[in-house]
Amino acid sequence: MSDLVKKVPQDLTVDEVRIGVANGDVPANLYSEIPCTIGHSYIRFEVSGNIVPCCIAKHRIGDVKKNDWRDVWHSGAYDSFRRKMSRIHLDRFHLVDPEWTFCQQCSHVPLNQTNADLLRKGRQEEP
């Protein structure tokens, strides 16, 4: 795992730790270097039947009462979410668009770091 996902020193201010786990486990610049891959490894079913792509996302992508979850998983809407999140480190929309500020409290940053490391390693091993 990257050196970026190490405990942040306790003397940092709130302004210095804006992105990532709210308790300060992740430095503010992490999403400037890695994409979000949660849409490839997570799906949430709410009691209401809503299907959302992330535990803190407010984006309803389907309804398990109306659609088979596999159809939602493979839908254009879910794919659109995956594509957008794969560019978080490039577009930095989560810092300026109120619809996406929930990313600043992401608890999946270590998983995203691991996935980014695996993707990078896979690309290096391709013939």
Side-chain angles (χ1 to χ4, degrees), residues 61-89:
I61 294 189
D63 186 333
V64 76
K65 294 176 186 174
K66 298 176 183 173
N67 310 99
D68 184 278
W69 71 269
R70 289 170 287 247
D71 292 338
V72 175
W73 180 261
H74 296 289
S75 70
Y78 220 103
D79 193 47
S80 177
F81 176 83
R82 289 182 187 107
R83 280 194 314 274
K84 182 166 186 78
M85 299 311 288
S86 72
R87 296 191 50 81
I88 193 170
H89 63 303

Side-chain angles (χ1 to χ4, degrees), residues 7-27:
K7 189 73 174 170
V8 174
Q10 294 300 316
D11 59 345
L12 291 180
T13 67
V14 173
D15 289 334
E16 292 173 298
V17 184
R18 285 188 287 254
I19 303 169
V21 182
N23 67 7
D25 280 343
V26 180

Side-chain angles (χ1 to χ4, degrees), residues 3 14 17 20 25 30 47 57 72 82 85 93 97 107 118 120:
D3 290 340
V14 173
V17 184
D25 280 343
L30 182 62
V47 175
V72 175
R82 289 182 187 107
M85 299 311 288
F93 53 84
D97 186 343
S107 61
L118 289 170
R120 217 175 281 119

Side-chain angles (χ1 to χ4, degrees), residues 51-65:
I51 298 173
V52 293
C54 171
C55 63
I56 57 175
K58 299 181 179 28
H59 300 84
R60 183 174 92 66
I61 294 189
D63 186 333
V64 76
K65 294 176 186 174

Side-chain angles (χ1 to χ4, degrees), residues 1-2 4-5 30 34 109-117 120:
M1 190 172 288
S2 168
L4 287 173
V5 185
L30 182 62
I34 65 168
V109 173
L111 173 64
N112 284 326
Q113 181 64 60
T114 298
N115 289 344
D117 291 345
R120 217 175 281 119

